[in-house]
Amino acid sequence: MNGKINSGLDLTTAPLANVSLCEIALAKAMDRPRHLPGMVCFYGPSGWGKSTAATYVSLTNRAYYIQCQDGWIRKAILVNILRVMGIHPRNSIWEMTEQVCEQLAKSGRPLIIDELDKLVEKKAVELIRDIYEGSGAVILLIGEERLPDKLTRWERFHGRILDWVPAQPTDLEDCRHLKRLYHPGIEMADDLLTRIVKASKGSARRVCVNLARVEEFARETGATEVSLKDWGTRTLFTGDAPARRVHDGV
Amino acid sequence: MACKPMDKRKGLDTRQAVWDAIRELKTFTVKEVREETLLGMDTVRDYVIGLHAAGYIGKEGFHVQGYAGQWNLVNDIGVEAPRVRKDGTPVTQGQGRENMWNAMRILRTFTARELAVTSRTPDCFVKESTAADYAKHLCHAGYLSKRPDGCYVMLPTSYTGPKAPMIQRTKRVWDPNQCKVRWQSTGEVSDDE
């Protein structure tokens, strides 16, 4: 059906454009010649599937993954990385930095820092650079669209980035694969999927919400195949707020 | 030899104990590691042979036969003990569980199907029913909470460490990071069986 997909990867998220982009960028950094920088920046709007990509590459590369929170200072970053490594943190910042660097250097495993744009403190951002300098580890930085601008503004960061990888909007091929992963029992015609892609404005999260709506419709009507004609004028989710988090059970 | 359930091993991960001792000693004999870890001969020997086959340790000086002699650590990969079998191949048991444990921390809010799909890697297939069962047990043990719409939520504070909690055959949830039983179906936590 699709030449790009082989049977082993068929039921993973690997064929999704953003997952493979992220995987290729990380692999390139891992295999780089010593004189090239080892940080990669992957950025794009919320809901475009960056975290799905991060999950896949962190599992296949055994990466240490952390997700930054608002207002994190240096200590929070270090304690969280050490927690993921299963190492008991020492007391001072420099001791913890050493612990992190040692484990990264020895294990050869990459570090993924998600939602990096939530860090505002200059010292916190400099710490990431120190970890990179001290360990030589590959670091994947993930954040929203404005992350490259921010990184450029932060002194001496820019030159250490090997690759800037913008997340791609969800296209028809991604939409087909998401359908195959999440709703394998129902056939959806390409005209309906095209409509879903258009309504979702590039957001993988909205595509998933819409695919679930179609499945619900199919279940109600007992259909196993749904085309645009069957769907008719029913609405698709186009809003900005992620549906899953909107009706929060309250 | 049958493996004891985790909570009967006094919270001891034997591979980890041997690896810690090796990293401490750098150059060692099987006897020295046994003295350090108080573990049985077979356990230490088999893991040492596996580490050698996988290239983590090398023979030092003259070796008469098999394992009796000096070894040294040649590839220190950090705190986490390599999971290798006696023939040096990686242990794959528990891979799906480990993938799910890591994936749920990244996803934070997910359904069983999303957890299954995102936990799959080319060499590890996770079924939706497996993910649903794992999430259900972790929910009992307080790692996850379930919303009325069927989504599971993981709070950052529920993450106890890199080792994935295990569902034991006795229907208990064992946390290898905290070394304790977090939940069991029969109610009371007992020490003998």
Side-chain angles (χ1 to χ4, degrees):
Chain A
M1 184 177 156
N2 188 329
K4 195 173 82 178
I5 300 166
N6 66 41
S7 56
L9 298 172
D10 212 6
L11 292 165
T12 68
T13 55
L16 296 172
N18 284 328
V19 178
S20 51
L21 268 177
C22 199
E23 179 80 342
I24 291 166
L26 196 65
K28 218 168 107 188
M30 306 267 285
D31 296 336
R32 77 192 191 278
R34 293 294 301 170
H35 63 277
L36 291 180
M39 287 202 261
V40 176
C41 175
F42 182 51
Y43 61 99
S46 155
W48 279 31
K50 295 190 300 296
S51 289
T52 304
T55 311
Y56 185 81
V57 300
S58 83
L59 296 181
T60 51
N61 294 282
R62 303 195 68 220
Y64 295 113
Y65 171 96
I66 59 157
Q67 205 164 42
C68 299
Q69 314 277 335
D70 286 318
W72 265 16
I73 51 168
R74 286 184 298 171
K75 191 173 176 188
I77 300 172
L78 289 164
V79 167
N80 274 282
I81 298 176
L82 287 168
R83 197 148 69 125
V84 177
M85 291 174 164
I87 298 175
H88 188 75
R90 296 216 186 99
N91 294 323
S92 65
I93 300 281
W94 69 268
E95 280 176 314
M96 286 192 273
T97 312
E98 270 186 1
Q99 285 180 296
V100 167
C101 290
E102 187 191 347
Q103 178 63 16
L104 284 174
K106 286 196 165 155
S107 65
R109 288 160 66 171
L111 174 66
I112 299 178
I113 304 177
D114 202 351
E115 311 212 8
L116 182 69
D117 38 357
K118 286 196 175 165
L119 297 185
V120 283
E121 209 196 36
K122 194 166 175 236
K123 275 183 177 172
V125 181
E126 281 171 351
L127 169 72
I128 311 256
R129 206 189 56 214
D130 291 345
I131 291 173
Y132 169 69
E133 294 291 330
S135 66
V138 167
I139 304 184
L140 175 64
L141 309 168
I142 304 178
E144 302 213 335
E145 304 105 297
R146 283 188 303 275
L147 184 61
D149 295 340
K150 266 184 149 180
L151 285 177
T152 318
R153 264 207 324 275
W154 283 320
E155 220 182 323
R156 289 184 295 164
F157 222 107
H158 199 254
R160 288 167 174 84
I161 307 279
L162 177 68
D163 242 333
W164 303 89
V165 185
Q168 299 299 307
T170 304
D171 61 8
L172 181 62
E173 209 169 303
D174 280 351
C175 184
R176 281 201 200 109
H177 190 63
L178 287 168
K179 193 225 73 98
R180 201 177 307 137
L181 288 176
Y182 290 110
H183 310 285
I186 291 161
E187 286 303 315
M188 299 183 200
D190 268 0
D191 55 2
L192 178 59
L193 294 181
T194 309
R195 173 86 182 278
I196 288 177
V197 170
K198 199 161 166 243
S200 307
K201 297 172 204 146
S203 158
R205 193 182 287 153
R206 281 179 222 151
V207 166
C208 288
V209 170
N210 284 322
L211 290 174
R213 283 193 184 176
V214 175
E215 185 183 3
E216 205 182 316
F217 164 76
R219 216 173 330 118
E220 281 166 9
T221 56
T224 52
E225 279 184 52
V226 187
S227 68
L228 187 59
K229 208 173 122 221
D230 303 322
W231 184 254
T233 54
R234 287 171 188 83
T235 54
L236 287 167
F237 178 67
T238 57
D240 290 332
R244 242 176 38 201
R245 294 178 191 178
V246 171
H247 32 83
D248 211 358
V250 268
Chain B
M1 194 177 65
C3 194
K4 276 187 184 177
M6 280 308 279
D7 58 300
K8 294 282 182 291
R9 287 190 239 157
K10 300 186 176 67
L12 191 68
D13 179 344
T14 53
R15 270 192 214 104
Q16 191 65 53
V18 173
W19 180 250
D20 290 346
I22 290 175
R23 287 189 77 213
E24 184 84 35
L25 295 164
K26 303 276 194 298
T27 301
F28 62 95
T29 61
V30 168
K31 189 163 167 271
E32 281 166 351
V33 172
R34 284 193 57 205
E35 279 162 6
E36 194 82 7
T37 58
L38 304 177
L39 287 168
M41 187 62 177
D42 294 350
T43 315
V44 177
R45 187 195 54 204
D46 288 357
Y47 188 48
V48 163
I49 292 171
L51 286 175
H52 178 239
Y56 293 104
I57 57 172
K59 287 178 178 174
E60 172 96 356
F62 180 63
H63 271 243
V64 187
Q65 51 111 345
Y67 54 88
Q70 286 250 311
W71 299 87
N72 59 1
L73 180 59
V74 291
N75 183 16
D76 183 0
I77 57 154
V79 286
E80 208 174 316
R83 298 182 69 218
V84 290
R85 298 197 194 93
K86 197 177 171 182
D87 61 0
T89 55
V91 177
T92 49
Q93 193 202 2
Q95 190 60 51
R97 185 181 62 226
E98 207 172 289
N99 284 2
M100 286 191 280
W101 177 241
N102 285 316
M104 60 177 72
R105 193 169 65 87
I106 304 177
L107 299 170
R108 292 204 276 193
T109 306
F110 52 87
T111 61
R113 186 174 292 181
E114 283 166 341
L115 180 61
V117 166
T118 46
S119 301
R120 290 174 196 159
T121 48
D123 46 12
C124 177
F125 183 81
V126 178
K127 282 193 287 191
E128 189 179 337
S129 56
T130 312
D133 187 62
Y134 193 56
K136 189 184 82 188
H137 279 91
L138 293 197
C139 207
H140 287 314
Y143 295 96
L144 305 175
S145 55
K146 195 176 184 180
R147 293 197 317 215
D149 64 358
C151 282
Y152 291 97
V153 181
M154 185 176 194
L155 298 170
T157 47
S158 316
Y159 182 76
T160 51
K163 292 173 185 160
M166 301 170 177
I167 316 298
Q168 297 177 300
R169 241 167 292 179
T170 48
K171 290 286 159 206
R172 287 199 275 205
V173 178
W174 168 258
D175 190 320
N177 303 297
Q178 299 174 316
C179 289
K180 70 175 189 190
V181 175
R182 286 279 300 247
W183 175 83
Q184 64 182 45
S185 57
T186 50
E188 245 177 270
V189 178
S190 64
D191 285 329
D192 47 72
E193 204 155 282

